[in-house]
Amino acid sequence: MFKGEGGAFPMELKKGIPLRTALYNEHLKLNARMTNFHGWEMPLEYTKIVEEHMAVRRNVGIFDVSHMGDVIIEGNDANKFVDYIFPTKISDLNIGECTYTAFLDTDGKMIDDTIIYKLWDDKYFLIPNAANIERIINWLNKNSTGYSIKIINHSDEISHIAVQGPKTPEVLGEMKIEMPENFHFLLNNIQFLNPLLNENFMMVSGTGYTGERGVELIIPNEIAPSLWEKLLDIIKNYDGRPCGLGARDTLRMEKGMLLSGQDFNEDKTPYEASVSFIVNLNHEFIGREKLIENKNNFKIIFRGFILENKNIPRPGFKIYHNDDEIGYITSGSVSPILNTGIGLGYINKDFMKSNEPVYIKIRDKYVKAQISKPKLF
Amino acid sequence: MSRIPEELKYTKTHEWFSVDAGVATIGISDYAQQQLTDIVYIDMPKPGDDKKIGDVLLTIESVKSAEDVYSPVNGKVIEINMELEKSPELVNEDPYKNWIVKIKLDDEKYNFLTAEEYKKYIGE
Protein backbone atom coordinates (compact mmCIF):
# COMPACT_ATOMS: atom_id res chain seq x y z
CA MET A 1 0.00 0.00 0.00
CA PHE A 2 0.80 3.67 -0.02
CA LYS A 3 2.16 4.30 -3.46
CA GLY A 4 -1.24 5.06 -4.94
CA GLU A 5 -3.26 8.07 -5.92
CA GLY A 6 -3.17 10.83 -3.35
CA GLY A 7 -5.96 13.29 -2.76
CA ALA A 8 -5.43 16.75 -1.35
CA PHE A 9 -3.57 15.25 1.60
CA PRO A 10 -0.23 13.58 1.01
CA MET A 11 0.51 10.78 3.49
CA GLU A 12 3.77 12.03 4.93
CA LEU A 13 4.94 15.40 6.08
CA LYS A 14 7.40 16.87 3.61
CA LYS A 15 10.97 17.18 4.79
CA GLY A 16 11.82 20.46 6.44
CA ILE A 17 10.30 22.42 9.24
CA PRO A 18 6.52 22.56 9.03
CA LEU A 19 4.57 25.73 9.71
CA ARG A 20 2.30 25.56 12.74
CA THR A 21 -0.69 27.59 13.86
CA ALA A 22 -1.22 29.04 17.34
CA LEU A 23 -3.56 26.07 17.96
CA TYR A 24 -0.97 23.38 17.23
CA ASN A 25 -0.73 22.25 20.86
CA GLU A 26 -4.53 22.12 21.12
CA HIS A 27 -4.57 19.65 18.22
CA LEU A 28 -1.96 17.47 19.92
CA LYS A 29 -3.97 17.53 23.15
CA LEU A 30 -6.95 16.21 21.19
CA ASN A 31 -4.79 13.49 19.65
CA ALA A 32 -5.44 14.77 16.15
CA ARG A 33 -3.83 13.00 13.24
CA MET A 34 -1.73 15.71 11.64
CA THR A 35 -1.04 16.12 7.93
CA ASN A 36 1.02 18.39 5.74
CA PHE A 37 -1.08 20.93 3.90
CA HIS A 38 1.09 23.14 1.68
CA GLY A 39 3.84 23.18 4.30
CA TRP A 40 1.48 23.59 7.28
CA GLU A 41 1.19 20.87 9.89
CA MET A 42 -2.59 20.77 10.28
CA PRO A 43 -5.14 18.36 11.79
CA LEU A 44 -6.49 15.96 9.16
CA GLU A 45 -8.96 14.39 11.59
CA TYR A 46 -9.55 14.14 15.33
CA THR A 47 -11.71 11.02 15.20
CA LYS A 48 -13.11 10.08 11.82
CA ILE A 49 -13.68 12.30 8.82
CA VAL A 50 -17.22 11.04 8.25
CA GLU A 51 -18.24 11.62 11.89
CA GLU A 52 -16.83 15.14 11.82
CA HIS A 53 -18.58 15.79 8.51
CA MET A 54 -21.94 14.70 9.90
CA ALA A 55 -21.47 16.76 13.07
CA VAL A 56 -21.27 19.89 10.89
CA ARG A 57 -24.29 18.97 8.75
CA ARG A 58 -26.45 18.10 11.79
CA ASN A 59 -25.07 20.11 14.70
CA VAL A 60 -21.85 22.09 14.81
CA GLY A 61 -18.12 21.74 14.22
CA ILE A 62 -15.09 23.93 14.90
CA PHE A 63 -12.09 24.18 12.60
CA ASP A 64 -8.64 25.72 12.89
CA VAL A 65 -8.14 27.53 9.60
CA SER A 66 -5.38 29.84 10.80
CA HIS A 67 -3.14 28.82 7.92
CA MET A 68 -5.20 31.11 5.68
CA GLY A 69 -3.62 34.47 4.84
CA ASP A 70 -4.50 37.88 6.29
CA VAL A 71 -3.76 40.89 4.12
CA ILE A 72 -4.77 44.51 4.59
CA ILE A 73 -5.05 47.00 1.74
CA GLU A 74 -5.48 50.59 2.91
CA GLY A 75 -4.90 54.13 1.74
CA ASN A 76 -6.47 56.94 -0.27
CA ASP A 77 -6.68 54.85 -3.42
CA ALA A 78 -7.83 51.60 -1.77
CA ASN A 79 -11.26 51.73 -3.44
CA LYS A 80 -9.82 52.34 -6.90
CA PHE A 81 -7.17 49.67 -6.37
CA VAL A 82 -9.47 46.83 -5.28
CA ASP A 83 -11.80 47.60 -8.17
CA TYR A 84 -8.83 47.32 -10.53
CA ILE A 85 -7.54 44.07 -8.98
CA PHE A 86 -10.85 42.17 -8.84
CA PRO A 87 -13.52 41.37 -11.46
CA THR A 88 -16.10 42.21 -8.78
CA LYS A 89 -16.96 45.86 -8.07
CA ILE A 90 -15.56 45.66 -4.54
CA SER A 91 -16.01 49.36 -3.72
CA ASP A 92 -19.79 48.80 -3.87
CA LEU A 93 -19.55 46.87 -0.59
CA ASN A 94 -20.79 48.65 2.50
CA ILE A 95 -18.63 48.79 5.61
CA GLY A 96 -19.40 45.58 7.51
CA GLU A 97 -19.91 43.50 4.37
CA CYS A 98 -17.70 40.99 2.58
CA THR A 99 -17.86 39.04 -0.64
CA TYR A 100 -16.32 36.08 -2.47
CA THR A 101 -14.13 36.95 -5.45
CA ALA A 102 -10.92 35.91 -7.25
CA PHE A 103 -7.61 37.36 -8.38
CA LEU A 104 -7.36 37.16 -12.18
CA ASP A 105 -4.24 37.35 -14.30
CA THR A 106 -4.14 39.39 -17.51
CA ASP A 107 -5.62 36.40 -19.39
CA GLY A 108 -8.64 36.41 -17.09
CA LYS A 109 -7.51 33.16 -15.41
CA MET A 110 -8.05 32.70 -11.69
CA ILE A 111 -4.83 32.89 -9.65
CA ASP A 112 -6.55 32.43 -6.29
CA ASP A 113 -9.93 33.04 -4.68
CA THR A 114 -10.62 35.01 -1.52
CA ILE A 115 -13.13 36.64 0.75
CA ILE A 116 -12.65 40.41 0.86
CA TYR A 117 -14.03 42.61 3.68
CA LYS A 118 -14.69 46.32 3.69
CA LEU A 119 -13.39 47.38 7.12
CA TRP A 120 -13.53 51.10 6.62
CA ASP A 121 -13.95 53.69 3.82
CA ASP A 122 -10.40 53.19 2.62
CA LYS A 123 -9.47 49.88 4.23
CA TYR A 124 -10.02 46.32 2.99
CA PHE A 125 -9.06 42.94 4.40
CA LEU A 126 -8.62 39.79 2.35
CA ILE A 127 -7.84 36.14 2.95
CA PRO A 128 -5.69 34.44 0.32
CA ASN A 129 -5.25 30.67 0.52
CA ALA A 130 -2.36 29.38 2.64
CA ALA A 131 -0.31 28.20 -0.34
CA ASN A 132 -0.65 31.54 -2.14
CA ILE A 133 0.07 34.21 0.46
CA GLU A 134 3.45 35.21 -0.97
CA ARG A 135 2.24 34.98 -4.56
CA ILE A 136 -0.71 37.25 -3.80
CA ILE A 137 1.35 39.83 -1.89
CA ASN A 138 3.75 39.96 -4.85
CA TRP A 139 0.84 40.23 -7.28
CA LEU A 140 -0.71 43.11 -5.35
CA ASN A 141 2.62 44.94 -5.06
CA LYS A 142 3.39 44.44 -8.73
CA ASN A 143 0.08 46.01 -9.72
CA SER A 144 0.07 48.83 -7.19
CA THR A 145 2.26 51.29 -9.14
CA GLY A 146 0.60 54.69 -9.17
CA TYR A 147 -1.88 53.84 -6.40
CA SER A 148 -1.58 55.50 -3.02
CA ILE A 149 -2.03 52.38 -0.89
CA LYS A 150 -0.29 50.19 1.67
CA ILE A 151 -0.35 46.39 1.50
CA ILE A 152 0.30 44.78 4.88
CA ASN A 153 0.68 41.07 5.53
CA HIS A 154 -0.64 40.11 9.01
CA SER A 155 -0.79 36.36 8.33
CA ASP A 156 1.62 35.47 11.16
CA GLU A 157 -0.34 37.39 13.80
CA ILE A 158 -3.90 36.26 13.11
CA SER A 159 -5.78 33.02 13.85
CA HIS A 160 -9.07 31.88 12.35
CA ILE A 161 -11.52 29.55 14.06
CA ALA A 162 -14.48 28.52 11.92
CA VAL A 163 -17.69 27.54 13.74
CA GLN A 164 -19.95 25.81 11.23
CA GLY A 165 -23.29 24.05 11.36
CA PRO A 166 -26.97 24.67 12.16
CA LYS A 167 -26.29 25.03 15.91
CA THR A 168 -23.78 27.88 15.43
CA PRO A 169 -26.17 30.62 16.65
CA GLU A 170 -26.75 28.77 19.95
CA VAL A 171 -23.02 28.21 20.45
CA LEU A 172 -22.29 31.89 19.85
CA GLY A 173 -25.21 32.82 22.09
CA GLU A 174 -23.53 31.07 25.02
CA MET A 175 -20.55 33.36 24.53
CA LYS A 176 -22.77 36.43 24.11
CA ILE A 177 -21.63 36.78 20.53
CA GLU A 178 -24.23 37.94 18.03
CA MET A 179 -24.67 35.95 14.81
CA PRO A 180 -23.93 38.05 11.72
CA GLU A 181 -25.92 37.69 8.50
CA ASN A 182 -24.21 35.80 5.67
CA PHE A 183 -21.39 37.84 4.11
CA HIS A 184 -21.54 40.41 6.90
CA PHE A 185 -19.23 40.76 9.88
CA LEU A 186 -19.61 42.08 13.41
CA LEU A 187 -17.02 43.14 15.97
CA ASN A 188 -16.82 41.83 19.53
CA ASN A 189 -14.72 43.10 22.42
CA ILE A 190 -11.70 41.03 23.44
CA GLN A 191 -8.73 41.54 25.78
CA PHE A 192 -6.07 41.80 23.09
CA LEU A 193 -5.29 44.10 20.24
CA ASN A 194 -6.35 42.81 16.84
CA PRO A 195 -3.66 44.14 14.49
CA LEU A 196 -6.07 44.04 11.55
CA LEU A 197 -8.27 46.63 13.23
CA ASN A 198 -5.84 48.29 15.65
CA GLU A 199 -8.55 47.78 18.26
CA ASN A 200 -9.41 45.13 20.86
CA PHE A 201 -11.95 43.37 18.67
CA MET A 202 -12.52 39.95 17.20
CA MET A 203 -14.13 39.84 13.77
CA VAL A 204 -17.16 37.59 13.60
CA SER A 205 -17.58 36.87 9.91
CA GLY A 206 -20.72 35.27 8.46
CA THR A 207 -18.75 33.05 6.09
CA GLY A 208 -17.47 29.49 5.79
CA TYR A 209 -16.46 26.64 3.53
CA THR A 210 -19.02 24.01 4.43
CA GLY A 211 -22.30 25.25 2.93
CA GLU A 212 -23.84 25.40 6.43
CA ARG A 213 -24.80 28.36 8.57
CA GLY A 214 -21.68 29.45 10.38
CA VAL A 215 -19.05 32.03 11.22
CA GLU A 216 -15.32 32.48 11.08
CA LEU A 217 -13.78 34.12 14.14
CA ILE A 218 -10.80 36.22 13.11
CA ILE A 219 -8.65 36.91 16.15
CA PRO A 220 -5.14 37.73 17.35
CA ASN A 221 -3.05 34.59 17.97
CA GLU A 222 -2.84 35.37 21.70
CA ILE A 223 -6.46 34.49 22.39
CA ALA A 224 -6.75 31.54 19.97
CA PRO A 225 -6.04 28.70 22.46
CA SER A 226 -8.40 29.98 25.17
CA LEU A 227 -11.19 30.68 22.66
CA TRP A 228 -10.72 27.22 21.13
CA GLU A 229 -10.95 25.56 24.54
CA LYS A 230 -14.07 27.52 25.41
CA LEU A 231 -15.70 26.54 22.12
CA LEU A 232 -14.75 22.88 22.66
CA ASP A 233 -16.47 23.01 26.01
CA ILE A 234 -19.64 24.60 24.65
CA ILE A 235 -20.05 22.45 21.52
CA LYS A 236 -20.02 19.29 23.66
CA ASN A 237 -23.53 20.24 24.73
CA TYR A 238 -24.65 20.41 21.12
CA ASP A 239 -23.12 17.13 19.93
CA GLY A 240 -20.48 19.18 18.16
CA ARG A 241 -16.93 18.19 17.34
CA PRO A 242 -13.57 19.64 16.44
CA CYS A 243 -13.12 18.98 12.72
CA GLY A 244 -10.00 18.56 10.62
CA LEU A 245 -9.10 19.41 7.07
CA GLY A 246 -10.43 16.04 5.91
CA ALA A 247 -14.01 16.94 6.81
CA ARG A 248 -13.47 20.47 5.57
CA ASP A 249 -12.62 19.01 2.15
CA THR A 250 -15.58 16.60 1.96
CA LEU A 251 -17.96 19.32 3.21
CA ARG A 252 -16.88 21.84 0.57
CA MET A 253 -17.00 19.18 -2.16
CA GLU A 254 -20.62 18.26 -1.46
CA LYS A 255 -21.46 21.93 -1.88
CA GLY A 256 -19.41 22.31 -5.07
CA MET A 257 -17.06 24.92 -3.63
CA LEU A 258 -13.80 25.40 -5.52
CA LEU A 259 -10.45 24.51 -3.96
CA SER A 260 -7.73 26.87 -5.15
CA GLY A 261 -4.74 25.07 -6.65
CA GLN A 262 -6.78 21.93 -7.21
CA ASP A 263 -10.01 22.89 -9.03
CA PHE A 264 -8.27 25.83 -10.68
CA ASN A 265 -4.65 26.89 -10.86
CA GLU A 266 -4.26 29.96 -13.07
CA ASP A 267 -5.80 27.96 -15.92
CA LYS A 268 -9.56 28.68 -15.67
CA THR A 269 -11.69 31.79 -16.07
CA PRO A 270 -14.60 32.51 -13.70
CA TYR A 271 -17.00 31.45 -16.50
CA GLU A 272 -15.29 28.09 -16.82
CA ALA A 273 -15.12 27.65 -13.03
CA SER A 274 -18.89 28.32 -12.70
CA VAL A 275 -18.39 31.47 -10.63
CA SER A 276 -19.52 33.99 -13.26
CA PHE A 277 -21.39 35.83 -10.46
CA ILE A 278 -18.07 37.38 -9.39
CA VAL A 279 -17.68 39.14 -12.76
CA ASN A 280 -19.00 42.65 -13.29
CA LEU A 281 -17.80 43.75 -16.73
CA ASN A 282 -18.95 47.35 -16.15
CA HIS A 283 -15.66 48.48 -14.66
CA GLU A 284 -11.97 48.30 -15.54
CA PHE A 285 -10.03 45.41 -13.98
CA ILE A 286 -7.13 43.09 -14.70
CA GLY A 287 -8.16 40.44 -17.24
CA ARG A 288 -11.34 42.21 -18.36
CA GLU A 289 -10.61 42.19 -22.12
CA LYS A 290 -9.94 38.46 -22.15
CA LEU A 291 -13.05 37.80 -20.09
CA ILE A 292 -15.22 39.69 -22.59
CA GLU A 293 -13.95 37.29 -25.27
CA ASN A 294 -14.25 34.26 -22.99
CA LYS A 295 -17.81 35.01 -21.92
CA ASN A 296 -19.31 33.95 -25.24
CA ASN A 297 -16.95 31.24 -26.34
CA PHE A 298 -15.73 29.28 -23.36
CA LYS A 299 -15.72 25.55 -24.03
CA ILE A 300 -15.54 23.78 -20.68
CA ILE A 301 -17.45 24.26 -17.44
CA PHE A 302 -17.10 23.18 -13.80
CA ARG A 303 -19.76 20.61 -12.83
CA GLY A 304 -20.45 17.99 -10.18
CA PHE A 305 -20.75 14.26 -10.73
CA ILE A 306 -22.72 11.76 -8.68
CA LEU A 307 -21.45 8.22 -9.15
CA GLU A 308 -23.48 5.04 -9.07
CA ASN A 309 -21.28 3.48 -6.40
CA LYS A 310 -18.65 4.34 -3.81
CA ASN A 311 -15.73 4.35 -6.21
CA ILE A 312 -13.91 7.65 -5.82
CA PRO A 313 -13.01 9.72 -8.85
CA ARG A 314 -9.56 11.21 -8.21
CA PRO A 315 -8.02 14.34 -9.77
CA GLY A 316 -7.07 13.71 -13.40
CA PHE A 317 -9.50 10.84 -14.04
CA LYS A 318 -11.18 11.19 -17.45
CA ILE A 319 -14.91 11.57 -18.14
CA TYR A 320 -16.51 9.88 -21.17
CA HIS A 321 -19.78 10.11 -23.05
CA ASN A 322 -20.14 7.07 -25.31
CA ASP A 323 -16.57 6.77 -26.62
CA ASP A 324 -15.76 10.47 -26.47
CA GLU A 325 -13.58 11.96 -23.78
CA ILE A 326 -15.53 15.04 -22.62
CA GLY A 327 -13.75 16.13 -19.44
CA TYR A 328 -11.78 15.36 -16.33
CA ILE A 329 -12.07 15.30 -12.56
CA THR A 330 -10.34 17.84 -10.29
CA SER A 331 -11.72 16.77 -6.86
CA GLY A 332 -13.42 13.62 -5.63
CA SER A 333 -14.57 11.83 -2.51
CA VAL A 334 -17.40 9.82 -1.06
CA SER A 335 -20.33 11.96 0.04
CA PRO A 336 -21.40 11.04 3.58
CA ILE A 337 -24.80 12.60 2.84
CA LEU A 338 -25.47 11.05 -0.59
CA ASN A 339 -23.64 7.88 0.47
CA THR A 340 -21.95 7.47 -2.89
CA GLY A 341 -18.89 8.61 -4.84
CA ILE A 342 -18.87 12.25 -5.93
CA GLY A 343 -16.62 14.32 -8.12
CA LEU A 344 -16.06 17.86 -9.27
CA GLY A 345 -14.40 18.66 -12.56
CA TYR A 346 -14.62 20.17 -16.01
CA ILE A 347 -16.66 18.94 -18.98
CA ASN A 348 -17.42 20.11 -22.47
CA LYS A 349 -20.02 22.85 -22.02
CA ASP A 350 -22.42 21.17 -24.47
CA PHE A 351 -23.07 18.56 -21.79
CA MET A 352 -23.72 21.08 -19.05
CA LYS A 353 -27.44 20.32 -18.81
CA SER A 354 -27.36 16.78 -20.15
CA ASN A 355 -29.40 14.16 -18.33
CA GLU A 356 -27.58 11.38 -20.08
CA PRO A 357 -25.16 9.44 -17.92
CA VAL A 358 -21.43 9.84 -18.34
CA TYR A 359 -18.69 7.37 -17.44
CA ILE A 360 -15.67 8.11 -15.32
CA LYS A 361 -12.66 5.91 -15.93
CA ILE A 362 -11.49 4.65 -12.54
CA ARG A 363 -8.44 2.43 -12.98
CA ASP A 364 -9.66 -0.20 -15.50
CA LYS A 365 -13.40 0.35 -15.01
CA TYR A 366 -15.93 2.81 -16.38
CA VAL A 367 -18.20 3.95 -13.55
CA LYS A 368 -21.54 5.51 -14.44
CA ALA A 369 -22.22 9.03 -13.14
CA GLN A 370 -24.88 11.72 -13.37
CA ILE A 371 -23.91 15.29 -14.21
CA SER A 372 -25.03 17.85 -11.63
CA LYS A 373 -24.58 21.49 -10.73
CA PRO A 374 -21.39 21.76 -8.65
CA LYS A 375 -23.58 22.08 -5.55
CA LEU A 376 -24.56 18.44 -5.24
CA PHE A 377 -27.41 18.83 -2.76
CA MET B 1 0.48 2.44 18.49
CA SER B 2 -1.13 -0.13 16.29
CA ARG B 3 -2.15 -3.68 17.02
CA ILE B 4 0.13 -6.42 15.58
CA PRO B 5 -1.06 -9.94 16.49
CA GLU B 6 1.86 -12.32 17.11
CA GLU B 7 0.50 -15.26 15.15
CA LEU B 8 0.16 -13.52 11.77
CA LYS B 9 2.61 -12.95 8.91
CA TYR B 10 3.18 -9.42 7.55
CA THR B 11 4.56 -7.69 4.46
CA LYS B 12 6.43 -4.43 3.92
CA THR B 13 3.40 -3.24 1.98
CA HIS B 14 1.25 -3.65 5.12
CA GLU B 15 -0.74 -6.76 4.30
CA TRP B 16 -1.15 -9.53 6.86
CA PHE B 17 -1.79 -13.18 6.07
CA SER B 18 -2.08 -16.56 7.68
CA VAL B 19 -1.73 -19.94 5.98
CA ASP B 20 -3.88 -22.92 6.82
CA ALA B 21 -4.21 -26.13 4.79
CA GLY B 22 -2.81 -24.55 1.62
CA VAL B 23 -5.07 -21.48 1.82
CA ALA B 24 -3.86 -17.95 2.67
CA THR B 25 -6.28 -15.59 4.42
CA ILE B 26 -5.30 -11.99 3.66
CA GLY B 27 -6.10 -8.58 5.11
CA ILE B 28 -4.44 -5.26 5.87
CA SER B 29 -2.67 -4.30 9.07
CA ASP B 30 -4.00 -2.03 11.78
CA TYR B 31 -1.26 0.47 10.88
CA ALA B 32 -2.48 0.44 7.25
CA GLN B 33 -6.12 1.03 8.15
CA GLN B 34 -5.12 3.92 10.42
CA GLN B 35 -3.09 5.52 7.64
CA LEU B 36 -5.91 5.11 5.16
CA THR B 37 -8.56 6.72 7.40
CA ASP B 38 -12.24 5.93 6.69
CA ILE B 39 -12.48 3.09 4.18
CA VAL B 40 -15.43 3.56 1.85
CA TYR B 41 -15.03 1.00 -0.92
CA ILE B 42 -13.04 -2.10 -1.74
CA ASP B 43 -12.46 -2.97 -5.37
CA MET B 44 -12.37 -6.77 -5.02
CA PRO B 45 -10.73 -9.33 -7.30
CA LYS B 46 -12.87 -12.04 -8.84
CA PRO B 47 -12.83 -15.57 -7.46
CA GLY B 48 -10.72 -17.56 -9.91
CA ASP B 49 -8.21 -14.76 -10.57
CA ASP B 50 -4.62 -15.94 -10.55
CA LYS B 51 -2.25 -13.77 -8.53
CA LYS B 52 1.51 -13.80 -8.26
CA ILE B 53 3.48 -12.31 -5.36
CA GLY B 54 3.49 -8.51 -5.78
CA ASP B 55 0.50 -8.40 -8.16
CA VAL B 56 -2.20 -5.87 -7.32
CA LEU B 57 -4.74 -8.00 -5.53
CA LEU B 58 -7.37 -5.33 -4.85
CA THR B 59 -7.73 -1.59 -4.29
CA ILE B 60 -9.01 0.10 -1.16
CA GLU B 61 -10.67 3.48 -1.45
CA SER B 62 -10.64 5.66 1.62
CA VAL B 63 -11.84 9.19 2.03
CA LYS B 64 -8.20 10.20 1.76
CA SER B 65 -6.76 8.05 -1.03
CA ALA B 66 -6.93 4.90 -3.10
CA GLU B 67 -4.31 2.31 -2.24
CA ASP B 68 -3.46 -1.02 -3.84
CA VAL B 69 -3.15 -4.16 -1.78
CA TYR B 70 -0.54 -6.59 -3.15
CA SER B 71 -0.66 -10.35 -3.15
CA PRO B 72 1.79 -11.79 -0.61
CA VAL B 73 1.48 -15.27 -2.16
CA ASN B 74 1.17 -17.14 -5.47
CA GLY B 75 -2.20 -18.74 -6.07
CA LYS B 76 -5.84 -18.48 -7.07
CA VAL B 77 -8.45 -16.26 -5.38
CA ILE B 78 -11.07 -18.61 -3.99
CA GLU B 79 -13.12 -16.40 -1.69
CA ILE B 80 -13.78 -12.75 -1.00
CA ASN B 81 -15.32 -11.39 2.19
CA MET B 82 -18.80 -10.49 0.92
CA GLU B 83 -19.64 -8.63 4.12
CA LEU B 84 -17.12 -5.95 3.12
CA GLU B 85 -18.97 -5.19 -0.10
CA LYS B 86 -21.71 -3.64 2.01
CA SER B 87 -19.68 -2.53 5.00
CA PRO B 88 -16.04 -1.86 4.05
CA GLU B 89 -15.65 0.21 7.24
CA LEU B 90 -15.46 -3.09 9.15
CA VAL B 91 -11.80 -3.13 8.11
CA ASN B 92 -11.31 0.08 10.11
CA GLU B 93 -13.11 -1.42 13.06
CA ASP B 94 -11.10 -4.64 13.20
CA PRO B 95 -8.64 -5.24 10.35
CA TYR B 96 -7.67 -8.70 11.67
CA LYS B 97 -11.10 -10.18 12.25
CA ASN B 98 -12.24 -8.77 8.92
CA TRP B 99 -10.05 -10.56 6.38
CA ILE B 100 -10.52 -9.48 2.76
CA VAL B 101 -9.68 -12.41 0.45
CA LYS B 102 -8.60 -16.04 0.56
CA ILE B 103 -6.10 -17.46 -1.92
CA LYS B 104 -5.46 -21.15 -2.60
CA LEU B 105 -1.68 -21.44 -2.75
CA ASP B 106 0.20 -22.65 -5.84
CA ASP B 107 3.36 -23.05 -3.76
CA GLU B 108 4.91 -22.15 -0.42
CA LYS B 109 7.39 -19.64 -1.87
CA TYR B 110 6.30 -16.59 0.08
CA ASN B 111 8.42 -14.22 2.15
CA PHE B 112 7.10 -12.48 5.20
CA LEU B 113 7.95 -10.40 8.26
CA THR B 114 7.19 -11.74 11.69
CA ALA B 115 5.10 -9.59 14.03
CA GLU B 116 8.28 -8.43 15.74
CA GLU B 117 10.00 -7.58 12.45
CA TYR B 118 6.94 -5.75 11.19
CA LYS B 119 6.70 -3.76 14.40
CA LYS B 120 10.30 -2.63 13.93
CA TYR B 121 9.68 -1.94 10.25
CA ILE B 122 6.86 0.55 10.95
CA GLY B 123 8.90 2.10 13.75
CA GLU B 124 6.70 1.26 16.72
Side-chain angles (χ1 to χ4, degrees):
Chain A
M1 306 194 101
F2 310 135
K3 345 179 163 171
E5 310 136 1
F9 306 103
M11 283 286 180
E12 306 289 343
L13 280 172
K14 276 184 206 153
K15 297 267 189 292
I17 300 164
L19 300 161
R20 289 170 178 172
T21 73
L23 293 171
Y24 176 74
N25 286 322
E26 299 297 318
H27 305 319
L28 297 192
K29 273 192 232 166
L30 290 166
N31 256 326
R33 181 208 300 245
M34 306 301 282
T35 190
N36 174 35
F37 187 71
H38 297 294
W40 288 84
E41 193 174 359
M42 298 296 289
L44 174 69
E45 58 179 5
Y46 298 89
T47 53
K48 287 193 170 293
I49 291 170
V50 176
E51 287 172 14
E52 293 169 15
H53 181 109
M54 294 311 289
V56 172
R57 290 274 179 257
R58 290 184 181 140
N59 304 309
V60 62
I62 60 173
F63 302 75
D64 176 16
V65 286
S66 306
H67 57 310
M68 304 288 286
D70 303 271
V71 178
I72 291 281
I73 296 172
E74 64 181 335
N76 291 335
D77 291 335
N79 287 297
K80 269 198 312 194
F81 181 67
V82 291
D83 282 347
Y84 172 62
I85 289 289
F86 294 108
T88 318
K89 190 107 191 319
I90 301 297
S91 64
D92 285 350
L93 290 175
N94 294 311
I95 295 168
E97 290 179 349
C98 58
T99 192
Y100 173 82
T101 188
F103 300 88
L104 305 186
D105 67 13
T106 49
D107 290 331
K109 312 276 193 191
M110 295 164 67
I111 303 170
D112 194 16
D113 55 359
T114 186
I115 301 284
I116 181 163
Y117 299 78
K118 186 159 188 161
L119 297 183
W120 196 237
D121 282 332
D122 55 0
K123 183 168 178 175
Y124 291 89
F125 165 51
L126 49 93
I127 304 187
N129 283 285
N132 286 332
I133 299 171
E134 232 182 277
R135 191 171 166 199
I136 290 305
I137 298 272
N138 291 340
W139 177 251
L140 292 172
N141 279 321
K142 185 180 151 193
N143 287 288
S144 67
T145 318
Y147 289 91
S148 170
I149 51 153
K150 275 197 288 187
I151 296 156
I152 310 158
N153 182 5
H154 288 290
S155 303
D156 294 343
E157 302 156 75
I158 299 293
S159 295
H160 299 228
I161 300 175
V163 185
Q164 301 279 303
K167 306 250 173 86
T168 303
E170 286 96 318
V171 171
L172 294 187
E174 294 211 16
M175 296 195 299
K176 311 258 187 294
I177 295 176
E178 199 187 327
M179 181 86 193
E181 288 174 50
N182 284 344
F183 290 103
H184 285 67
F185 64 92
L186 298 169
L187 303 178
N188 258 71
N189 286 308
I190 50 172
Q191 300 298 323
F192 276 85
L193 184 79
N194 186 333
L196 297 172
L197 304 157
N198 283 319
E199 302 265 8
N200 289 12
F201 285 131
M202 81 160 88
M203 279 178 72
V204 184
S205 166
T207 50
Y209 197 42
T210 63
E212 295 299 326
R213 190 107 202 269
V215 294
E216 290 169 299
L217 305 174
I218 301 165
I219 51 178
N221 288 342
E222 288 88 343
I223 69 162
S226 59
L227 183 62
W228 175 265
E229 283 175 14
K230 195 165 172 189
L231 282 164
L232 268 183
D233 218 37
I234 295 170
I235 63 170
K236 271 185 210 145
N237 303 325
Y238 295 92
D239 289 321
R241 283 172 185 268
C243 302
L245 292 188
R248 184 168 149 89
D249 198 40
T250 54
L251 286 158
R252 69 95 193 168
M253 260 186 247
E254 281 186 343
K255 296 293 184 179
M257 293 168 157
L258 296 163
L259 175 58
S260 176
Q262 185 167 322
D263 296 317
F264 65 89
N265 196 359
E266 213 168 336
D267 56 351
K268 303 291 188 314
T269 68
Y271 297 115
E272 292 162 343
S274 289
V275 290
S276 57
F277 64 87
I278 70 171
V279 181
N280 173 350
L281 291 171
N282 297 320
H283 74 293
E284 279 303 323
F285 59 88
I286 299 171
R288 177 172 177 266
E289 272 149 53
K290 290 289 170 116
L291 277 197
I292 291 171
E293 276 172 42
N294 186 250
K295 185 180 179 181
N296 296 315
N297 65 13
F298 68 99
K299 303 282 191 296
I300 55 169
I301 190 156
F302 190 63
R303 290 287 101 172
F305 305 93
I306 299 172
L307 280 68
E308 67 171 352
N309 63 29
K310 282 190 176 173
N311 265 293
I312 299 182
R314 305 284 175 184
F317 286 12
K318 302 282 192 290
I319 304 165
Y320 294 85
H321 176 263
N322 297 330
D323 288 338
D324 300 324
E325 188 180 318
I326 60 162
Y328 54 91
I329 295 293
T330 52
S331 290
S333 187
V334 158
S335 160
I337 294 283
L338 302 174
N339 204 26
T340 191
I342 56 170
L344 299 172
Y346 291 85
I347 52 164
N348 181 328
K349 202 176 109 200
D350 298 342
F351 290 89
M352 182 175 162
K353 293 194 171 146
S354 166
N355 287 320
E356 285 180 47
V358 291
Y359 292 85
I360 299 171
K361 191 176 181 208
I362 298 182
R363 293 179 290 280
D364 54 350
K365 288 187 305 194
Y366 290 84
V367 179
K368 199 172 177 179
Q370 202 60 49
I371 302 170
S372 155
K373 285 182 194 161
K375 188 175 169 183
L376 296 170
F377 78 94
Chain B
M1 287 292 274
S2 57
R3 218 152 52 81
I4 306 172
E6 278 298 317
E7 65 279 14
L8 300 175
K9 298 173 168 62
Y10 299 87
T11 67
K12 287 188 175 177
T13 45
H14 309 287
E15 293 85 14
W16 64 261
F17 66 107
S18 62
V19 176
D20 183 36
V23 172
T25 301
I26 300 164
I28 64 166
S29 72
D30 192 31
Y31 174 83
Q33 74 75 19
Q34 283 176 21
Q35 292 295 315
L36 277 165
T37 71
D38 296 5
I39 293 169
V40 293
Y41 187 86
I42 301 178
D43 216 348
M44 292 285 193
K46 288 183 204 66
D49 284 358
D50 280 310
K51 297 288 176 185
K52 295 265 171 274
I53 292 171
D55 285 356
V56 173
L57 180 57
L58 53 99
T59 306
I60 298 188
E61 294 269 15
S62 75
V63 174
K64 201 165 83 169
S65 66
E67 297 293 343
D68 292 329
V69 172
Y70 303 97
S71 181
V73 296
N74 297 318
K76 194 184 282 297
V77 175
I78 52 164
E79 198 181 343
I80 60 175
N81 185 348
M82 296 299 285
E83 225 185 331
L84 300 180
E85 301 242 295
K86 261 198 153 163
S87 307
E89 68 279 5
L90 290 173
V91 175
N92 290 122
E93 283 166 25
D94 188 339
Y96 299 112
K97 196 175 113 199
N98 295 296
W99 56 273
I100 306 175
V101 296
K102 293 188 180 183
I103 289 184
K104 188 169 177 8
L105 299 183
D106 286 346
D107 54 48
E108 302 270 332
K109 284 185 199 149
Y110 46 78
N111 289 312
F112 63 91
L113 302 177
T114 63
E116 200 176 323
E117 287 164 342
Y118 181 65
K119 188 173 171 178
K120 256 190 211 143
Y121 175 69
I122 60 175
E124 288 190 353

